[in-house]
């Protein structure tokens, strides 16, 4: 079945440093979604990318979808303590599984002030 | 966006007992899902809650252990039956956005089985 791999598993940065997490799928995706889960919280939808090579920005966050639509990345510029949490990518589960998502393992980001 | 509430937020249960978790959405949604998440881990889909029909379970999850109800388009329950310590986890419900592909999640239920 489809697999969504995410690296790194953990990332520790000093406040102000940049951060990037990478997501790779075993199959071509129609779209990729990114979620953020704060410690003790629940996943919150950040963004969806649909087009090959698409780049979207949300303030200090930049999301990219690969040309082959099998990989994606999330880059945070000048991290802040409010960026702490786990970042998940997720792709459609495929086949007839409408609405279902396959989540990556997540990258746990800690930011040291 | 949809606002989702879950009850209870947490519980401590004895092995062999059952717990029913409720999930309420503030608007009608076509699809609802139940996930399990161990601390520090990813989300594992348990099943899709189908309105008016039996839930669709993922590999490794069975109806006898995790019966699910979905009586209408805004509500679903997940029961964790005959619990063992291995069932200790966070259980999350989610709903598919009405006009998109993203999911909105409830706050989760933290279950501890002794």
């Amino acid at each position: 079945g489809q697999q969504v791999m995410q690296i790194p598993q953990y990332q520790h940065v000093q406040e102000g440093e940049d951060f990037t997490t990478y997501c790779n799928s075993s199959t071509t995706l129609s779209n990729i979604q990114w979620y953020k889960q704060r410690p003790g919280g629940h996943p919150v939808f950040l963004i969806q990318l649909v087009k090959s090579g698409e780049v979207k920005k949300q303030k200090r966050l930049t999301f990219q979808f690969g040309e082959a639509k099998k990989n994606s990345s999330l880059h945070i510029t000048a991290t802040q303590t409010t960026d702490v949490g786990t970042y998940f990518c997720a792709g459609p589960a495929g086949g007839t599984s409408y609405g279902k998502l396959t989540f990556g393992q997540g990258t746990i980001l800690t930011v040291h002030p | 966006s949809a606002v989702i509430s879950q009850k209870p937020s947490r519980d401590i249960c004895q092995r062999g007992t059952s717990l029913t978790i409720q999930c309420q959405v503030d608007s009608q949604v076509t699809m609802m899902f139940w996930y399990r998440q161990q601390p520090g881990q990813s989300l594992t889909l348990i099943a899709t809650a189908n309105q008016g029909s039996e839930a669709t379970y993922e590999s490794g999850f069975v109806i006898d252990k995790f019966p699910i109800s979905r009586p209408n388009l805004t509500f679903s329950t997940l029961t964790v039956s005959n619990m063992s310590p291995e069932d200790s986890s966070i259980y999350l419900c989610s709903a598919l956005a009405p006009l998109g592909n993203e999911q909105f999640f409830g706050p989760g239920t933290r279950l501890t089985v002794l």
Side-chain angles (χ1 to χ4, degrees):
Chain A
Q2 180 200 67
Q3 289 188 323
V4 177
M5 309 298 292
Q6 202 173 341
I7 56 169
Q9 186 176 1
Y10 302 95
Q11 187 75 58
H12 312 283
V13 300
Q14 288 292 132
E15 189 172 22
E17 293 181 339
D18 292 355
F19 158 77
T20 304
T21 174
Y22 300 90
C23 182
N24 289 286
S25 170
S26 58
T27 60
T28 300
L29 302 171
S30 59
N31 68 81
I32 191 143
Q33 300 175 26
W34 286 91
Y35 292 78
K36 176 183 179 181
Q37 185 174 26
R38 294 181 185 274
H42 58 276
V44 174
F45 173 75
L46 293 177
I47 206 162
Q48 174 178 271
L49 304 170
V50 179
K51 299 177 183 177
S52 169
E54 187 171 16
V55 178
K56 286 189 176 181
K57 292 191 175 185
Q58 289 180 349
K59 296 183 181 179
R60 294 177 295 104
L61 279 61
T62 302
F63 303 85
Q64 291 188 318
F65 201 9
E67 294 290 340
K69 301 184 74 172
K70 295 181 71 173
N71 57 74
S72 181
S73 65
L74 159 60
H75 179 82
I76 301 178
T77 303
T79 54
Q80 300 175 359
T81 55
T82 53
D83 295 323
V84 164
T86 303
Y87 292 85
F88 293 99
C89 62
T96 59
S97 310
Y98 173 71
K100 284 171 48 176
L101 294 174
T102 300
F103 282 82
Q105 300 94 320
T107 296
I108 300 173
L109 172 65
T110 55
V111 180
H112 301 287
Chain B
S1 65
V3 176
I4 302 176
S5 59
Q6 275 185 244
K7 290 194 299 185
S9 58
R10 58 177 62 225
D11 208 341
I12 301 173
C13 301
Q14 297 296 320
R15 68 170 66 210
T17 63
S18 298
L19 176 72
T20 296
I21 302 168
Q22 298 180 6
C23 179
Q24 179 73 55
V25 188
D26 69 343
S27 57
Q28 293 186 342
V29 292
T30 54
M31 303 195 74
M32 295 180 71
F33 305 93
W34 287 97
Y35 292 86
R36 185 168 69 184
Q37 184 181 33
Q38 300 285 0
Q41 302 294 316
S42 187
L43 289 81
T44 301
L45 181 63
I46 298 171
T48 303
N50 301 308
Q51 194 266 330
S53 64
E54 196 170 280
T56 305
Y57 290 84
E58 297 301 305
S59 176
F61 297 96
V62 295
I63 187 171
D64 290 346
K65 176 66 176 178
F66 298 101
I68 288 171
S69 77
R70 184 148 182 223
N72 56 52
L73 293 176
T74 64
F75 185 79
S76 179
T77 67
L78 167 75
T79 299
V80 186
S81 303
N82 189 24
M83 288 184 286
S84 67
E86 291 71 35
D87 295 319
S88 297
S89 190
I90 298 169
Y91 292 85
L92 294 149
C93 71
S94 75
L96 185 67
L99 298 177
N101 300 319
E102 68 268 27
Q103 292 184 18
F104 299 104
F105 285 84
T109 297
R110 182 179 293 269
L111 171 62
T112 303
V113 184
L114 303 177

